[in-house]
Amino acid sequence: MFLSPYYSKQDQSVFISAQQASDFAKRVAEDFNPIHDVGAKRFCVPGDLLFALVLTEYGLSQNMTFKFAGMVGDGIELTLPDAVEDNFTISDVKNKEYMHVSRQGDICQCDTQTAAFIKSYVAFSGLNFIHVLVPMMKQHKMMINPDRPLVIYESMSFHLDHFDFDDINLHLIDQQLLINGKRGDVTLTFELRQNETVIGTGKKTLVLSGLREYEEDKAQQMCQFYESRKVTL
């Protein structure tokens, strides 16, 4: 499975090093957020890597919901349930919870479909900051702290009509930002398509914290810094 370089498993214990998490963020998701850099002060494992890990270990279900409960640091020992039902939780050895998963419908254990879904979804996530979040901040005249930018991945859900695909693409069809003081709740709605045929739908939610008045020059500096890391890293 293509995900194997990005985590280590022994029995039901899973370890994700900072290097593995950083490599996944940059090589697979094209996510250049400094929070995923090795040695970062507030380092955390990308939420998309946890999502991909669950699909790799337990299969792709027609209906799935992922809710994030905490950020995984460097070298945290996660424990995977031996057998799972419709609802299960990914925790560490100290029983700290990081992700709640719900699933219904048929389950696909085929590596081809699972890998195609993971790659398409994380590629979609990698485009969110520059191409989706910054324009939304500009529209609403509010922005995250440019000195300590923090975007929290809150949840994701999707429905698939079937598993009859070798390739799949995500297309953003709606985006909403609701502002409550210094907090912004983002909802991204997408379609899952095989070629031009819609075979599913999904939704992703994010939280923007520390909102303040939008400043075009500082927003552009954030974008330029983010883009420059694609060249230097």
Side-chain angles (χ1 to χ4, degrees), residues 34-225:
I35 203 170
H36 304 315
D37 288 353
V38 175
K41 185 177 180 180
R42 295 185 295 162
F43 170 84
C44 76
V45 172
D48 283 343
L49 179 50
L50 296 184
F51 153 77
L53 173 63
V54 168
L55 294 190
T56 300
E57 292 291 327
Y58 299 111
L60 176 66
S61 295
Q62 282 186 283
N63 301 283
M64 300 192 80
T65 298
F66 301 80
K67 294 183 178 179
F68 293 89
M71 295 189 291
V72 179
D74 181 19
I76 295 293
E77 182 179 351
L78 301 173
T79 57
L80 299 180
D82 286 313
V84 295
E85 301 296 334
D86 290 343
N87 299 284
F88 60 96
T89 298
I90 303 299
S91 308
D92 64 18
V93 291
K94 298 179 180 179
N95 293 320
K96 181 178 179 180
E97 299 179 348
Y98 294 96
M99 176 186 281
H100 304 291
V101 184
S102 299
R103 62 180 190 171
Q104 296 85 34
D106 295 336
I107 301 173
C108 173
Q109 299 284 359
C110 175
D111 286 352
T112 299
Q113 278 86 354
T114 302
F117 191 96
I118 291 171
K119 290 177 181 178
S120 180
Y121 181 74
V122 299
F124 169 78
S125 292
L127 297 173
N128 284 342
F129 182 72
I130 296 292
H131 300 283
V132 179
L133 297 184
V134 173
M136 290 178 72
M137 288 187 279
K138 182 176 183 177
Q139 176 188 352
H140 290 268
K141 299 180 181 180
M142 297 290 285
M143 67 184 292
I144 55 178
N145 184 347
D147 298 319
R148 296 185 62 189
L150 183 59
V151 178
I152 300 172
Y153 190 177
E154 188 175 58
S155 69
M156 193 274 272
S157 61
F158 64 83
H159 162 77
L160 279 167
D161 295 334
H162 57 76
F163 301 120
D164 186 19
F165 61 87
D166 293 324
D167 194 16
I168 194 169
N169 293 290
L170 273 71
H171 294 263
L172 183 66
I173 59 172
D174 188 43
Q175 56 202 57
Q176 294 184 2
L177 170 58
L178 298 178
I179 295 175
N180 183 11
K182 294 185 177 181
R183 174 188 168 110
D185 292 297
V186 176
T187 301
L188 306 178
T189 305
F190 55 87
E191 289 180 341
L192 296 154
R193 300 178 187 174
Q194 182 183 27
N195 297 321
E196 295 303 317
T197 302
V198 177
I199 61 171
T201 56
K203 185 177 294 185
K204 178 177 183 176
T205 64
L206 306 161
V207 175
L208 309 182
S209 62
L211 291 180
R212 74 262 330 272
E213 186 177 344
Y214 182 84
E215 296 181 61
E216 179 66 24
D217 58 338
K218 291 186 177 180
Q220 289 306 312
Q221 287 173 13
M222 280 197 302
C223 294
Q224 291 167 8
F225 173 71

